[in-house]
């Protein structure tokens, strides 16, 4: 890397606000980007990564303000360029962000918008040539049938496909460098791994230098030649990924690395097997849930979306049961069935021996106390204008508690249990951090002293540090109250840390159920292997993405073809898989997998 | 394909709506006090004669029978004859009872056919005025929320919304027509007679359009793809005209659908004030004269127009934003 850099950042500082209220967001950031180099930038949430990424493409809007420093491209400071001259440079400077679904106009076809961008930055380009070029590139990022996809609208693209289209959008004008801010963050692991691989390929093919911003060190390690560690707006360390991981210098880097979950190494948490118990707390029997949606452009025709299909499993008392799978695989529908928000079309959900659909009166009320949900989104699930104390009192009142003093005491006890300071009692949720909001959600569930907590992606929106603290809290609560947890998550690393048993879902079916260790060390189903091969981790992988990870995304759950639902992506699929569906087959120790290649002790699992 | 299925579905719904409106109005007209035969025959006509005429016209049959008879005409395109208007023009009725035979009465369809184009012309011109004005005021306002164009739009729409239509009509007629002689006002002898009433209607229409346009443009400008568009290298003009306006136009269209339906109330008053020979004036006279078949026919035609306008609006909206589905 001895040629002159594409981009030089010198002493860049950015403030938020002006005058006396100004607060620095970035301080004194300097680095160079060499041609063809990929520089990774890593840091905790709020460390200023997005602000830095935007500054590199001259996209700093009030209240943010460049305080000092320069971003030099072709020996001019692009931060000084006025709108019109900057626009001419957009051809050479590209940006992809973390919100693929919001990046294009929802009312116009994707392909047309990419052509629009191309003709905006390359004036005078022949429209039919622009079109051809976009279709070629859509094919190059492995979007199936690019000619048809060209005319489809953003809402018809999945998140992963949209992110690929945006990579096309960024690279279509052959930029000199590309700034990618957390591009894989909203994607499922298998799709994220594909997108990452693709970015590396394309930047090589087009000779593009990349600034790769991410909050996940394993992801950056896969992508980057150089890593900069950003903490509170300063670069605290820079090194090659391997040396950074082997010998971190700065305390923040050390902490970051120590918090990355271990999956296969000996330091990985040993999770005990499920305690034996006579009767399961929850047992879901052959449950199916189908939604009917009207077909667009027809009079009365409906399509069936088979969100959950023939799901059967038991959750034992005191167990941590995990349900994993990619987006759209039916996890949240399953959660709604388990929490009696919906009923299965066929099959049943049985809790403590009673069918949920038959609960009435007292027993129903008891079920509502015993089963509590903690939902995904810490930002929208709390009423913004109600004080935290009132939010937590509400369930108690609903369940018939009247004495104001007792209620207050109970709420304060729970707040102490989830480690929320008592002085937040009269505060509004507005000022809380994501982690604190999630604690309020947990407290709201805990206040009724439940037996089972169902966590739907509860930790997904939190950063590593906060996740760590909340998991410790869950453990403590479990010991104190003998809770049973059902974790619904796409995060395998988290599941590896806490769950005794794990069910893997694909397209509405449970394709494998196994104890923690067996699942991670000896998975029975090819899909589980694919998931494991894509987990971001710093460890040596047990399953190589080259062998296990297949292109493409799950097919739509509408009008499924016959046969094994994984057949379209399975590396081992053979003729039988396309004709017959495999059922869950027992391997040993009561572990089940639904694949024809599983050699069990011969016996088929009872459905 | 989508368009055809959409149209068939919506037209079927529309036919049902028109049918129900017709039934409702038909029944109400039979319930309200005031015997049309008494009005037709004149106050002095003997009771027996009135009964006889009513009998002949089928007005003493059960309502459902009358309705069936009426509908069988409607599907053949026959909306019946006016009770009071002769085919020649001026309305009859009043104190003397000539035995005007049925043949001489005017066809409802003809009466509507003469006046509807006038009203459509007025409404169309009013909408054009209102749209042009709202765009000129609303777009700059939406692009700079909180700054002076926004405040101008706010004041203009506040003032317009508090001007009563009839008052504005009279003032403008006095000012522009009587005092300055720029525009003709009363009656109709050519296209120029449409301009003044259209301006008054446009003033009534535009406040809501301005507010909606301002709001939907300023919210469209905060959508992520607008900011990203700049970074992708699109020019400010393209961003505003090809994307922000496009996204802002769906709420505007929906509003326009409702507004046009609401326009009728305004048209009644304005046509009356300006003595403009449109459907509104015809309606007022029909009501005053208890001209059942005419009221009925106007109701059918106007509800058909509403239905068609709303179908058109929804169709255009789905063509602009493919995520919508009605
Ligand atoms: N438009 C803005 N207005 C005010 N403050 C802002 C704005 N954008 C960023 N900040 C502040 O700047 C700091 C850095 O934010 P930034 O978005 O760069 O974090 P990040 O490292 O990208 O975090 P994440 O990993 O969550 O994406 C934060 O304290 C944030 O509150
Ligand atoms: S049954 Fe066939 S397609 Fe399905 S997972 Fe097993 S090998 Fe793959
Ligand atoms: Mg960010």
């Amino acid at each position: 890397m001895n040629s002159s850099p594409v981009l030089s950042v010198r002493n860049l500082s950015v403030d938020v606000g002006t005058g006396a209220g100004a607060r620095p967001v970035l301080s004194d950031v300097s680095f160079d980007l060499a041609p063809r180099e990929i520089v990774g930038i890593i840091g905790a949430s709020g460390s200023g990564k997005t602000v830095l990424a935007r500054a590199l493409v001259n996209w700093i809007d009030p209240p943010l303000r460049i305080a000092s420093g320069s971003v030099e491209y072709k020996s001019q400071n692009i931060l000084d360029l006025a709108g019109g001259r900057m626009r001419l440079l957009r051809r050479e400077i590209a940006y992809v962000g973390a919100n693929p679904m919001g990046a294009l106009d929802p009312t116009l076809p994707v392909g047309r918008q990419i052509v629009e961008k191309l003709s905006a930055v390359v004036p005078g380009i022949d429209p039919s040539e622009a079109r051809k070029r976009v279709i070629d590139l859509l094919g190059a990022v492995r979007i199936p049938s690019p000619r048809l996809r060209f005319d489809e609208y953003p809402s018809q693209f999945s998140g992963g496909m949209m992110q690929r289209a945006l990579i096309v959008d960024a690279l279509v004008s052959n930029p000199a460098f590309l700034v990618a801010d957390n591009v894989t963050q909203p994607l499922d692991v298998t799709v994220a791994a594909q997108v990452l691989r693709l970015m590396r390929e394309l930047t090589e093919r087009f000779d593009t230098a990349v600034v790769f911003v991410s909050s996940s060190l394993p992801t950056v390690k896969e992508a980057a030649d150089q890593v900069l560690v950003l903490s509170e707006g300063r670069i605290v360390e820079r090194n090659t990924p391997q040396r950074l991981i082997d010998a971190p210098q700065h305390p923040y880097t050390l902490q970051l690395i120590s918090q990355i979950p271990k999956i296969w190494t000996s330091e990985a948490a040993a999770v005990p097997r499920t305690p034996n118990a006579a009767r399961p707390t929850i047992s879901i029997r052959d449950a199916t849930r189908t939604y009917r949606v009207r077909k667009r452009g027809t009079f009365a025709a409906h399509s069936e979306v088979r969100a959950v299909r023939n799901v059967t499993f038991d959750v034992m008392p005191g167990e941590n049961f995990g349900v994993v799978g990619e987006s759209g695989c039916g996890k949240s529908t399953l959660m709604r069935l388990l929490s009696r928000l919906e009923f299965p079309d066929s099959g049943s959900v049985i809790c403590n021996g009673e069918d949920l659909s038959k609960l009435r009166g007292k027993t129903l009320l008891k079920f509502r106390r015993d089963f509590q949900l903690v939902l995904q989104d810490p930002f929208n699930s709390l009423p913004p204008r109600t004080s935290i104390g009132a939010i937590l009192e509400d369930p108690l009142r609903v369940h018939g508690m009247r004495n104001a003093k007792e209620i207050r005491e109970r709420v304060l006890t729970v707040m102490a249990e989830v480690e929320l300071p008592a002085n937040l009692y009269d505060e509004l949720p507005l000022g809380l951090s994501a982690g604190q909001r999630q604690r309020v959600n947990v407290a709201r569930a805990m206040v009724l002293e439940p037996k089972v907590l169902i966590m739907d992606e509860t930790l997904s929106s939190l950063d590593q540090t906060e996740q760590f603290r909340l998991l410790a809290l869950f453990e403590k609560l479990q010991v104190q109250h003998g809770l049973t947890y059902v974790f619904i998550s796409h995060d395998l690393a988290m599941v590896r840390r806490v769950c005794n048993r794990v069910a893997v879902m694909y397209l509405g079916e449970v394709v494998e159920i196994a104890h923690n260790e067996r699942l991670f060390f000896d998975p029975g189903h090819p899909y589980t292997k694919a998931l494991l091969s894509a987990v971001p981790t710093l460890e040596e992988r047990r399953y190589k993405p080259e062998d296990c990870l297949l292109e493409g995304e799950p097919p739509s759950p509408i009008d499924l073809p016959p046969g094994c639902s994984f057949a379209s992506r399975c590396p081992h699929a053979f003729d039988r898989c396309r004709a017959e569906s495999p059922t869950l087959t027992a391997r040993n120790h009561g572990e089940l997998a639904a694949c024809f290649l599983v050699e069990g002790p011969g016996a088929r699992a009872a459905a | 394909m989508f368009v055809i299925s959409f149209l068939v579905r919506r037209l079927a719904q529309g036919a049902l709506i028109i049918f129900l409106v017709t039934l409702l109005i038909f029944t109400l007209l039979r319930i309200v006090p005031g015997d049309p035969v008494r009005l037709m025959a004149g106050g002095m006509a003997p009771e027996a004669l009135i009964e006889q005429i009513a009998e002949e016209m089928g007005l003493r049959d059960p309502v459902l029978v009358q309705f069936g008879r009426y509908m069988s005409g409607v599907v053949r395109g026959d909306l019946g004859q006016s009770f009071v208007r002769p085919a020649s023009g001026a309305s009859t009725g009043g104190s003397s009872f000539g035995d005007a035979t049925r043949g001489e009465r005017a066809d409802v369809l003809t009466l509507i056919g003469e006046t509807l184009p006038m009203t459509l012309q007025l409404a169309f011109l009013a909408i054009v005025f209102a749209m042009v004005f709202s765009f000129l005021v609303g777009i700059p306002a939406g692009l700079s929320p909180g700054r002076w164009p926004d405040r101008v739009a706010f004041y203009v729409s506040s003032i317009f919304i508090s001007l009563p239509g009839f008052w504005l009509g009279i003032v403008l007629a006095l000012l522009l027509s009587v005092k300055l002689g720029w525009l003709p006002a009363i009656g109709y002898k050519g296209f120029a007679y449409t301009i003044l009433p259209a301006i008054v209607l446009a003033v009534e229409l535009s406040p809501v359009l301005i507010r909606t346009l301002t709001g939907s443009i300023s919210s469209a400008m905060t959508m992520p793809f607008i900011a990203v568009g700049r970074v992708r290298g699109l020019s400010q003009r393209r961003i505003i005209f090809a994307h922000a306006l496009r996204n802002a136009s769906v709420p505007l269209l929906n509003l326009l659908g409702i507004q046009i339906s609401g326009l009728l109330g305004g048209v009644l008053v304005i046509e009356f004030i300006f003595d403009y020979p449109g459907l509104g004036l015809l309606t007022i006279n029909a009501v005053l004269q208890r001209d059942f078949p005419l009221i009925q026919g106007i109701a059918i035609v106007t509800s058909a127009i509403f239905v068609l306008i709303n179908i058109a609006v929804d169709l255009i909206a789905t063509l602009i934003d493919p995520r919508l589905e009605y």
Side-chain angles (χ1 to χ4, degrees):
Chain A
M1 308 271 162
N2 38 22
S3 51
S4 63
V6 189
L7 187 72
S8 306
V9 181
R10 287 290 170 270
N11 308 97
L12 180 66
S13 299
V14 176
D15 288 351
V16 55
T18 44
R23 168 174 74 84
V25 175
L26 287 181
S27 321
D28 213 14
V29 171
S30 302
F31 69 93
D32 285 340
L33 179 68
R36 298 164 143 249
E37 190 186 22
I38 302 186
V39 168
I41 295 179
I42 177 110
S45 182
S47 58
K49 301 185 299 291
T50 299
V51 173
L52 176 56
R54 286 174 165 221
L56 298 183
V57 298
N58 192 4
W59 180 20
I60 293 293
D61 291 329
L64 296 173
R65 195 177 57 85
I66 306 283
S68 62
S70 64
V71 175
E72 268 185 43
Y73 172 72
K74 284 193 176 163
S75 53
Q76 54 187 339
N77 180 5
I78 60 170
L79 298 177
D80 291 339
L81 290 183
R85 297 210 20 232
M86 187 62 218
R87 210 169 69 70
L88 293 179
L89 278 184
R90 297 284 179 204
R91 173 180 187 169
E92 292 152 56
I93 300 177
Y95 174 91
V96 183
N99 173 11
M101 292 326 272
L104 292 184
D105 186 336
T107 66
L108 287 168
V110 172
R112 237 168 81 191
Q113 296 192 60
I114 303 178
V115 169
E116 180 192 17
K117 135 139 193 187
L118 184 57
S119 17
V121 295
V122 188
I125 190 171
D126 177 48
S128 65
E129 179 181 330
R131 187 187 154 91
K132 188 174 155 319
R133 186 170 178 151
V134 170
I135 291 180
D136 280 352
L137 272 178
L138 287 175
V141 299
R142 292 188 210 95
I143 287 181
S145 39
R147 210 166 287 279
L148 292 176
R149 286 288 180 176
F150 182 92
D151 292 311
E152 284 188 3
Y153 292 88
S155 55
Q156 288 165 288
F157 278 54
S158 66
M161 209 127 59
M162 199 63 204
Q163 200 59 293
R164 286 174 221 224
L166 288 172
I167 290 174
V168 170
D169 185 82
L171 296 180
V172 72
S173 58
N174 251 333
F177 74 93
L178 165 69
V179 177
D181 181 13
N182 247 339
V183 281
T184 55
Q185 191 228 354
L187 307 178
D188 278 318
V189 280
T190 60
V191 180
Q194 291 168 19
V195 166
L196 203 59
R197 192 157 34 148
L198 189 86
M199 275 199 42
R200 261 195 329 246
E201 260 175 53
L202 290 178
T203 48
E204 244 161 64
R205 179 170 144 194
F206 290 101
D207 259 351
T208 313
V210 180
V211 177
F212 188 89
V213 176
S214 173
S215 47
S216 148
L217 184 54
T219 312
V220 171
K221 179 198 162 206
E222 301 269 300
D225 305 318
Q226 277 282 326
V227 184
L228 310 181
V229 181
L230 200 62
S231 170
E232 288 166 19
R234 290 176 187 278
I235 292 183
V236 295
E237 191 162 356
R238 66 182 83 198
N239 215 331
T240 61
Q242 201 54 52
R243 265 186 279 162
L244 186 82
I245 290 158
D246 294 343
Q249 299 299 316
H250 194 270
Y252 172 72
T253 322
L254 271 165
Q255 184 204 359
L256 191 75
I257 291 175
S258 73
Q259 281 171 348
I260 292 186
K262 306 286 186 294
I263 294 179
W264 291 289
T265 27
S266 50
E267 294 152 66
V271 182
R273 294 197 146 232
T274 309
N276 280 326
R279 194 172 69 172
T281 304
I282 310 173
S283 84
I284 177 159
R285 292 269 153 263
D286 209 13
T288 295
R289 179 84 177 102
T290 305
Y291 298 105
R292 283 161 62 82
V293 292
R294 202 178 84 226
K295 265 193 201 157
R296 195 182 160 84
T298 59
F299 301 98
H302 288 259
S303 316
E304 307 221 307
V305 181
R306 305 218 276 149
V308 164
R309 297 187 286 155
N310 309 4
V311 167
T312 298
F313 60 77
D314 292 334
V315 179
M316 296 298 173
E319 185 175 39
N320 292 338
F321 190 84
V323 177
V324 297
E326 291 175 282
S327 69
C329 73
K331 298 188 300 279
S332 294
T333 308
L334 185 68
M335 175 277 292
R336 288 195 289 273
L337 297 182
L338 291 178
S339 51
R340 202 181 178 276
L341 295 174
E342 282 174 17
F343 296 114
D345 304 313
S346 67
S348 55
V349 184
I350 295 163
C351 286
N352 298 319
E354 292 188 72
D355 191 329
L356 285 194
S357 61
K358 305 218 168 71
L359 295 181
R360 295 285 178 276
K362 266 228 169 67
T363 49
L364 179 56
L365 215 59
K366 178 163 164 18
F367 169 81
R368 292 229 179 281
R369 290 184 84 112
D370 286 352
F371 278 72
Q372 291 291 328
L373 266 181
V374 185
L375 290 177
Q376 190 162 19
D377 179 7
F379 284 96
N380 299 325
S381 54
L382 296 178
R385 278 175 240 297
T386 315
S387 75
I388 290 160
I391 293 174
L392 299 180
E393 286 175 8
D394 194 48
L396 292 174
R397 291 185 204 281
V398 168
H399 281 264
M401 215 159 145
R402 287 289 168 263
N403 183 330
K405 198 162 150 262
E406 271 174 38
I407 290 180
R408 194 182 162 90
E409 259 162 35
R410 173 75 197 125
V411 168
L412 284 172
T413 318
V414 173
M415 283 177 69
E417 267 184 355
V418 302
E419 292 151 22
L420 280 173
N423 60 14
L424 289 179
Y425 197 95
D426 297 311
E427 301 275 318
L428 296 182
L430 289 175
L432 299 187
S433 72
Q436 281 179 317
R437 278 161 183 270
Q438 210 50 291
R439 276 164 209 268
V440 176
N441 275 325
V442 174
R444 178 156 68 169
M446 287 298 296
V447 74
L448 289 169
E449 303 179 60
K451 305 235 163 32
V452 180
L453 284 188
I454 299 176
M455 314 273 199
D456 188 4
E457 301 281 11
T458 305
L459 302 177
S460 310
S461 49
L462 303 181
D463 67 23
Q464 283 299 339
T465 318
E466 243 340 284
Q467 272 199 19
F468 242 68
R469 295 201 194 115
L470 269 166
L471 284 175
L473 171 69
F474 291 158
E475 238 164 84
K476 187 188 87 182
L477 293 175
Q478 186 163 43
V479 172
Q480 282 172 0
H481 301 276
L483 290 168
T484 304
Y485 291 122
V486 177
F487 287 98
I488 294 176
S489 177
H490 68 268
D491 181 357
L492 279 154
M494 190 276 283
V495 165
R496 167 75 175 123
R497 245 174 67 90
V498 294
C499 293
N500 308 109
R501 274 193 314 142
V502 183
V504 180
M505 285 186 79
Y506 187 77
L507 271 184
E509 284 178 317
V510 170
V511 295
E512 176 155 16
I513 300 182
H515 286 281
N516 187 316
E517 263 180 42
R518 183 82 191 265
L519 189 92
F520 284 88
F521 284 88
D522 177 25
H525 197 278
Y527 177 60
T528 315
K529 282 191 193 136
L531 278 181
L532 290 178
S533 76
V535 189
T537 165
L538 296 180
E539 297 160 50
E540 178 73 32
R541 292 175 183 287
R542 274 182 79 86
Y543 304 97
K544 296 272 170 281
E546 304 83 75
D547 308 333
C548 309
L549 184 62
L550 252 95
E551 282 306 328
E553 290 168 50
S556 113
I558 300 175
D559 304 323
L560 284 168
C564 174
S565 46
F566 192 52
S568 61
R569 294 171 78 199
C570 180
H572 310 296
F574 52 103
D575 288 345
R576 187 177 169 201
C577 309
R578 298 195 180 83
E580 263 179 78
S581 341
T583 46
L584 279 176
T585 307
R587 304 163 77 203
N588 32 16
H589 303 111
E591 276 142 354
L592 307 169
C595 171
F596 292 128
L597 297 180
V598 169
E599 309 133 30
R604 283 199 145 191
Chain B
M1 184 53 231
F2 163 71
V3 173
I4 294 172
S5 89
F6 171 88
L7 283 180
V8 171
R9 194 156 37 86
R10 291 295 301 269
L11 286 173
Q13 277 174 17
L16 181 69
I17 291 171
I18 296 170
F19 175 81
L20 292 176
V21 168
T22 315
L23 178 61
L24 186 73
I25 299 213
F26 198 90
T27 321
L28 283 178
L29 285 178
R30 267 50 185 184
I31 295 170
V32 291
D35 190 344
V37 183
R38 166 71 61 196
L39 278 169
M40 284 161 65
M44 306 309 287
E47 201 61 35
L49 181 61
I50 283 177
E51 273 312 302
Q52 188 201 333
I53 297 176
E55 205 78 23
E56 271 172 24
M57 292 176 70
L59 288 176
R60 293 296 178 263
D61 294 340
V63 173
L64 270 182
V65 174
Q66 291 185 42
F67 184 68
R69 197 184 305 135
Y70 180 72
M71 283 314 282
S72 73
V74 169
V75 293
R76 278 180 277 116
D78 174 13
L79 293 178
Q81 281 91 34
S82 163
F83 280 172
V84 274
R85 283 163 188 265
S88 52
S91 70
T92 60
S95 52
S96 72
F97 70 95
D99 59 354
T101 46
R102 295 273 198 81
E104 289 170 58
R105 295 218 186 88
D107 262 343
V108 168
L109 207 55
T110 320
L111 287 172
I112 293 177
E114 282 162 3
T115 50
L116 181 62
M118 299 297 299
T119 296
L120 290 182
Q121 179 180 323
L122 174 59
F124 181 76
L125 197 63
I127 290 167
V128 170
F129 285 166
M131 294 281 274
V132 170
F133 186 71
S134 308
F135 273 78
L136 287 178
V137 177
I139 293 177
L143 292 178
S144 48
R147 299 220 305 276
W148 68 265
D150 190 19
R151 281 202 295 278
V152 168
F154 178 79
Y155 291 128
V156 166
S157 54
S158 304
I159 292 170
F160 278 14
I161 212 161
S162 47
L163 292 177
F166 69 89
W167 177 84
L168 184 69
I170 293 166
V171 168
L172 284 184
L174 285 176
L175 188 71
L176 296 183
S177 180
V178 178
K179 259 233 150 71
L180 299 170
W182 289 354
L183 287 169
I186 308 298
Y188 187 83
K189 293 192 201 71
F191 182 75
Y193 285 79
T194 317
I195 298 176
L196 201 52
I199 291 177
V200 177
L201 280 174
V203 168
E204 272 182 63
L205 274 177
S206 39
V208 189
L209 292 186
I210 291 174
R211 296 256 170 112
T212 313
L213 195 63
T214 308
S216 57
I217 285 191
S218 70
S219 82
M221 288 304 285
T222 64
M223 289 185 197
F225 61 83
I226 298 288
V228 176
R230 246 168 249 145
V231 179
R232 290 168 66 227
L234 305 187
S235 65
Q236 185 70 2
R237 274 195 34 189
R238 265 210 89 78
I239 290 175
I240 293 172
F241 290 100
H243 299 289
L245 257 183
R246 198 183 160 85
N247 278 271
S249 61
V250 171
L252 191 73
L253 261 172
N254 287 327
L255 180 83
L256 211 58
I258 301 168
Q259 285 281 90
I260 290 176
S261 310
L263 198 60
L264 188 81
V267 168
L268 284 187
V269 177
I270 297 306
E271 288 190 357
F272 187 70
I273 290 174
F274 288 93
D275 195 26
Y276 184 89
L279 202 60
L281 201 55
L282 187 70
T283 313
I284 292 180
N285 288 328
V287 170
L288 292 177
Q289 295 166 334
R290 296 228 169 21
D291 193 348
F292 286 4
L294 190 53
I295 298 175
Q296 191 73 58
I298 291 172
I300 292 185
V301 170
T302 44
S303 60
I305 291 174
F306 292 167
V307 164
L308 290 179
I309 285 173
N310 279 297
I311 292 177
V313 163
D314 289 351
L315 185 64
I316 297 172
T318 38
L319 294 183
I320 291 179
D321 189 344
R323 288 167 304 173
L324 300 171
E325 196 180 328
Y326 294 96

